[in-house]
Amino acid sequence: MPRNVNEAGLALIKQWEGRRLTAYKDPVGVWTIGYGHTDAAGPPAVKRGLKISEAQAEAMLRADLAQYEAAVEAAVTVRLTDNQFAALVSFCFNVGPGNFLGSTLLNKLNAGNHAAVPGELAKWNKAGGRVLAGLANRRAAEAGLWARGAFVASNYVEPAAKAAATATTAGKGALAATFGTVGAAVAEAAQQLSPFTEVSQIAKHAFVALTVLGVAFALHGALRRAREDAGLA
């Protein structure tokens, strides 16, 4: 069964082709109508003065896409997600099957280099020998669709099992929680002592030493419990 562009791809093509119900010349002088329909896509022939309805524009786009969908499906030998397929159809629709089939993009993709596609798309930003902002933006949009996560409808991937917590990670969590609790207690006690200027420096040092000792015991207990929870005790 022929593969078709998904809704995300159809929306992208409509956005960047634009809908014109009266024939016009594109940036390189080719008569165009609807969503980028030209004579190269097949009937109806486009000439000055031609007008169509919205429904005709939609029907022409879907009919036009069929040959580009077929071209991409036949040319690409590696697996593609629905969004990746749609991005390539948009690209092929814009530059033509000949340019797509002879592109470095296709060669790299079929060699298994999926990561090269966005960069190769970006190179196709010229018309008539000059860079066009519209084409640069379209290539960026196609690269964005290419990178967007979406599995092929028939593909099923078993979710990876969540890694079990290790004694180290569990210990870190327990130590952080304990440290935060004890630290807050120390800060509160220090605030209570500070107003009493008559407390000697020796008493203050003794208090700090006892507090540190208490922290050490608390941390030791937390680490031991974490190891027991992880089954490493």
Side-chain angles (χ1 to χ4, degrees), residues 66-84:
Q67 63 176 295
Y68 300 97
E69 292 163 340
V72 171
E73 190 170 17
V76 176
T77 59
V78 294
R79 192 173 181 82
L80 298 176
T81 67
D82 292 335
N83 284 336
Q84 289 172 342

Side-chain angles (χ1 to χ4, degrees), residues 56-124:
Q56 286 175 311
E58 179 82 14
M60 286 166 60
L61 173 62
R62 292 185 178 277
D64 289 351
L65 285 177
Q67 63 176 295
Y68 300 97
E69 292 163 340
V72 171
E73 190 170 17
V76 176
T77 59
V78 294
R79 192 173 181 82
L80 298 176
T81 67
D82 292 335
N83 284 336
Q84 289 172 342
F85 177 76
L88 293 184
V89 172
S90 173
F91 173 64
C92 184
F93 185 73
N94 186 235
V95 304
N99 285 324
F100 173 68
L101 294 174
S103 67
T104 301
L105 180 155
L106 180 60
N107 289 333
K108 289 185 176 181
L109 175 60
N110 281 341
N113 191 356
H114 287 68
V117 171
E120 290 300 321
L121 284 171
K123 296 177 181 179
W124 292 78

